[in-house]
Amino acid sequence: MGTDAPRSKGHRRVRRLLIALATVVGLVLVTAGLGVYTVTRSFPTLAGNVEITGLSSAVTVTRETYGIPQITAKTASDLFLAEGYVHAQDRFWEMDFRRHVTSGRLSELFGESQIGTDTFVRTLGWRAVAEQEVALLDPVTLGYYQSYADGVNAYLDTHQGADLSLEYAVLGLQNPGYEVEKWTPADSVAWLKAMAWDLRSNLDDEIDRALLSTTLTPTEVSQLHPDYPAAQHPTITGSQALTLPSAGAPRAAEPAPDSTDAPAALASVDSYAGALAELRAHLGSVPELLGPAGGEIGSNSWVVSGALTDTGKPLLANDPHLGPALPSVWYQVGLRCQSITADCPFDVAGYSFSGMPGVIIGHNERIAWGFTNLGPDVADLYIEKVTGDNYEFDGVAKPLLLRDEKISVAGGDDVKIEIRSTEHGPLLSGFDGTSYQRIASDFPEATGLTPAPAPAAEAGAEQTSYELSLQWTALTPGHTASAIFALNQATDWTSFRAAAALFEVPAQNLTYADVDGNIGYQAPGLIPIRASGNGTLPVPGWTSQYGWTGYIPFDALPSTFNPPSGYIVTANNAATDPSYPYLLTADWDLGYRANQITARLQELIAAKTPMTAELMSEIQGDNYSAIAATLVPALQQVRLSGDAAEAQKLLDGWDYQVDVDSAAAAYFNVIWRTLLHDIFTGKIDDGAALTGGDRAFSVVTSLLDQPNSPWWSNASYGTVGQESMLRRVMTDAAAEAADLMGSNPQDWQWGSIHTLELTNQSFGKSGIAPLEWLFNRGPYELAGGSAVVNAVGWDATQGYQVDWVPSMRQVVSLENFDDSTWINLTGASGHAFHPNYTDQAPLWRDHETRPWLFTPAAINAVATNTLTLEPAS
C-alpha cells in the first residue's frame, strides 16, 4: 500500500462515489464562497487569548512570518500541554492518520481495502509494545506525555470534523460516522515504532540475499551485496582501543555470506522461498511514514571544532534523508521555560514530530545534536517448523503464543484475526490479510517460486510447514520515550551520553557539540550479540544455536570525543573499521556521501579556509556524483553514431555535478537507469532490482574492471560484453532522453525529469484528481541524486521522480545560536491553502536557508503573532 491509505483497490463502489463527490467539492472550492469557508475554517487562531483547562499559568506562543511557534511557559507541564495544543492546531490530521497506521486501524478510516495492512501492523504489535513502554515510564516523563495529550485534547474539545482539518470534510463523504478519539500517551509513543520500522536496517537485504540464492551462485549474490570499502571510504570513528565491560563477550565480526556461511542445519531456501516472497510483498504494504525502507534511507551530519571555524566555536550540520511528505515529517518549534529550574529545565529549539512532545533534533542553551541512521542489524528472520498450533525448539514441541484481535471496518463488518508468535517473535508468513494459511503449498503462486515439500508428517498427523518469525529490538519494551527529554535538557558530554544510553530503538548516530568547544559522536541503541551467524540470512528457529545472547554494552558502542582531526562525519557509512570487536551489520551505506563530505572538509583545512555556517550549507548542497566520475570515462570510449553521438558530446568536460539545469546530468542519469535495467533484467527478479543508489554504484564500478563479466551480456537485448552493453544503453538512453526532453540535447535539463510532487500521505495518493489537487503541491524541479551529498534520491526501477529527500537542513553555530540556520521541506502548517502550508518549499528547492533565531530578544523582534493560552476561569 505504501502511503496510499485511501486508495481503494477492492472498494470500487466507494471510490466511484468519492470521485463524484470530490469533483463536486473541487468545483465548490473553486467557484463558491462556501468553498473558501470549508478550506479556511480549520485555520488556527494565532493571536489573542484562549482559555485552556489544565494550565496552571499563562503560556505565550509567538510566531513569525513562517508560522513557527516559540512557546514560553512557567512550568514543564504547561510547556508540553501548550506544545500538544499547538501541534493539534497545525497538524492534527497528520497525527490522527499516523496513530491509525501505528495501531493497525486504517480500516476504521478507509474501509475494507486496509484490512491486510492493519493485520500486518497488528501482527508486528507496534501499539501493544507502545502501551508497555508507557507503563515503564517514570512519573515525571509520564507526566510530560500526559500534559502533551491534555493539550491535544484541549484543542479537540473545541474543534471537530472540518474544524480540525480539510481532510475530515473529505473523509466525511466516505465515512460520515467517524469520530475523533481523545489523544493518549500511547498514541505518541507508538510513533517511535513507526520510526524504527522505516529505519529497520537490513531486513530487506536479508530477504533479498536468500531469494537471490535460489537462482544465483554465492559469488554472484556477494557481488550484488558488496562489503563496505573501508580502504577507500571513511569510517566514523576509525580504530578504537576498547576496554570492554565484563557483560557480553565480544565476538569477531563475520564477513558477508559466502558458500560456506549457510548453517549446516538450514533447510533449503526453496523450502521457504514462497514465505520470503510473501513477506516481501507484505513489507511493501505497510505505509512508509518516514520514507522507503532499506539502504537508501540515510542522512548527513557532521560537526567541526572551533579550531577550524571562523568563530572559534564548533559548527554542527545535519540533514536527515527521508521520504517526502506534505506536510513535512518535521515540525519546527521552540520550547522555553521562563526560568530554568530543576522542575522546568527546558530551553530548547529544533525539529519535533507532530504527535510527540519535546524536540527530536536541535539545540538547547548549552549543546547541539544531530541524527543519522546508524543502521545496525537489529532484526533477524527465523525459519520455524510449525505443526498445527505448535512449533519446534531444541527438539521439543512448544505451543504457539496466540492472540486474537478485532479490526473495525468503516462501512463493513468487524474482522477477527489470530496473531501467532514463537519465542523469537511474531510469525510473518502464512496469512493472507484476514486469515492464516498454514501449509507450505498455500504460498501465493504469484511469487513465481515453488516451495519444496515441508518436513514429512506421519500418516494422519497435521502437516508441518516452514514459516518465518521476526525477532526485532523494537518489539522489546524500552526507554526511548524517555530519551528525548533527557537530550533536551543535557548540558555537557556526560549528560548527553546518559541521554543517548536511553535511545535504544531505532539506533542512531548522534553528533554533538557544545558551547565550551567540544565535539563528539555516540552510537546508541540495542544491538544484538548472536550465538552464531551474522544476520545476513534467515536462520533455523528450531534450535537455540542462532539465538541472541544479549546486547552490545553501551560503553562498548562506537564513540569519539574531540578527535585530533577536528571533525566528525556521519553519513550512514561504517561506524567502525574492521578491528571493532562486535558485529554491527554487514550492510552499511557504502560511503560515497561520507567520502565527498570528508573530502570537502579536508580541502578547506588544506587551504586554511576558516569554516563558516554558509560553507556548511554549501556542502549540504554538494551535487558531485561519484558514479558519474567513475563511469563517464568508460562511456566516452564507446563508438556511437547519429543522435547518440551528439548526446555523448554532452559528457565532454562535464564536472560530474548533477545540477538542476545540467544537460549532461540529464543524459547520464537516463543512461544510468537504462544500464541497471539492461544488465539485470531476466537475471534477478523485480523485487531484487537495484534502485540506483550506493549499492548499485559499487556493483557497477566493480564490473568496469571486468569487461567480459557475464553480467555485461544479456541475451534478451543481444549484448555480449561491456562495450556491446554500453553502446546499446547509450543509444537507447539518447532516444529516451529525446522523448522526455526534446530532440536537441543542448536543451535537456536534469530538473525537467527529476521532479518532486509534495504529496499528502493519505488523500494525496488517492488516485482521484480533484482530491490530489486539493492537497498536493508541485512538481518542483530539483538537482541532486542518489548517493550524492545533496541526496534528492530517485528509484531507478520506477523512473526519475524524487522519492527521498533532505527532509530538513540545519546548521548550528555554537558561538551564537542566533547565527544558526534552518529550513523545512514544506512549512509549519498541515492545512491545505494555509500561507504556511508550503512556504518553505521554494527556499528548500533552491537550497536557501532561514535564520534560526533563539534568544528571546531576537525572536520577539520578528514576531508577527502572539497567542496567550490562559488557565480556564
Side-chain angles (χ1 to χ4, degrees), residues 240-276:
Q240 293 190 90
L242 292 174
T243 303
L244 296 173
S246 58
R251 178 180 57 78
E254 299 180 42
D258 198 71
S259 58
T260 59
D261 288 327
L266 182 58
S268 166
V269 175
D270 288 337
S271 65
Y272 63 95
L276 281 169

Side-chain angles (χ1 to χ4, degrees), residues 590-677:
L590 296 175
Y592 294 94
R593 286 178 288 113
N595 201 47
Q596 180 64 6
I597 295 167
T598 301
R600 291 290 303 271
L601 296 178
Q602 290 178 344
E603 288 172 2
L604 293 171
I605 294 170
K608 298 183 178 180
T609 301
M611 298 187 197
T612 64
E614 291 76 16
L615 283 172
M616 298 302 98
S617 290
E618 181 184 314
I619 294 174
Q620 288 177 329
D622 190 299
N623 286 321
Y624 176 79
S625 171
I627 186 59
T630 301
L631 185 56
V632 163
L635 299 177
Q636 291 176 307
Q637 299 302 312
V638 178
R639 297 184 300 275
L640 299 172
S641 59
D643 293 341
E646 288 301 308
Q648 185 183 37
K649 294 177 183 178
L650 295 174
L651 304 177
D652 295 341
W654 182 37
D655 58 4
Y656 313 125
Q657 299 288 325
V658 283
D659 294 333
V660 67
D661 58 354
S662 171
Y667 180 45
F668 173 80
N669 282 308
V670 177
I671 291 172
W672 178 237
R673 179 171 184 250
T674 308
L675 178 64
L676 293 178
H677 177 273

Side-chain angles (χ1 to χ4, degrees), residues 24-43:
V24 173
V25 169
L27 292 173
V28 168
L29 290 172
V30 172
T31 62
L34 178 60
V36 175
Y37 171 70
T38 301
V39 168
T40 61
R41 63 188 289 189
S42 62
F43 289 4

Side-chain angles (χ1 to χ4, degrees), residues 712-782:
W712 291 113
S713 299
N714 193 323
S716 299
Y717 303 114
T719 61
V720 179
Q722 183 183 113
E723 184 173 353
S724 172
M725 173 65 77
L726 294 182
R727 182 179 300 110
R728 173 189 168 84
V729 164
M730 295 181 72
T731 301
D732 288 352
E736 181 185 352
D739 288 340
L740 292 171
M741 295 174 282
S743 59
N744 185 354
Q746 300 300 322
D747 294 335
W748 297 348
Q749 294 190 350
W750 173 223
S752 68
I753 57 174
H754 187 234
T755 60
L756 167 66
E757 181 175 6
L758 291 170
T759 304
N760 180 284
Q761 285 191 309
S762 49
F763 291 112
K765 289 191 174 182
S766 64
I768 302 170
L771 287 184
E772 294 184 353
W773 175 84
L774 284 176
F775 296 111
N776 298 347
R777 300 294 181 268
Y780 298 88
E781 297 186 355
L782 300 177

